[in-house]
Amino acid sequence: MLEILKRIQADVSELKADVSELKVDFAELKADMAEVKGRLDRLEAVVRKQGRDSAAMLVMMRATVGIYDERLKDIEEDVRELMEQG
């Protein structure tokens, strides 16, 4: 009977040590997650900024193409008129 009680006591002691170790690991994990959350917030801000920048660039590119297209049409008209005169 005494031997069984000693074994139970050893098992409980080992379990307490494992729980203490888990508490330390969990505390480290919480600290790491706080850092990860900060990084994620910064990444989300960068993604939003990149989206706005990309949209603005697309607008500028479309405007540039529109202006180029207008100028090209003017040149085509001038060429057509020159060919009709000649």
Side-chain angles (χ1 to χ4, degrees):
M1 183 69 137
L2 184 62
E3 205 52 46
I4 293 172
L5 291 174
K6 285 182 181 179
R7 230 177 350 173
I8 290 173
Q9 186 179 18
D11 289 346
V12 168
S13 176
E14 187 178 321
L15 183 61
K16 283 182 180 180
D18 288 346
V19 168
S20 295
E21 207 173 301
L22 282 174
K23 284 182 181 179
V24 170
D25 289 347
F26 186 71
E28 289 176 9
L29 182 61
K30 282 175 76 174
D32 289 346
M33 287 308 295
E35 183 181 332
V36 168
K37 187 174 186 250
R39 286 182 175 182
L40 185 59
D41 290 342
R42 288 191 300 272
L43 280 174
E44 287 174 345
V46 167
V47 166
R48 282 191 298 274
K49 183 181 181 308
Q50 289 284 330
R52 288 190 300 266
D53 290 350
S54 295
M57 193 178 307
L58 183 60
V59 167
M60 288 189 296
M61 288 175 19
R62 285 183 177 171
T64 302
V65 167
I67 291 169
Y68 178 79
D69 193 38
E70 283 181 30
R71 289 181 180 176
L72 190 58
K73 284 180 184 178
D74 290 343
I75 291 172
E76 287 174 350
E77 254 182 64
D78 292 345
V79 168
R80 190 175 317 117
E81 287 176 8
L82 285 173
M83 291 181 80
E84 288 174 359
Q85 289 175 1

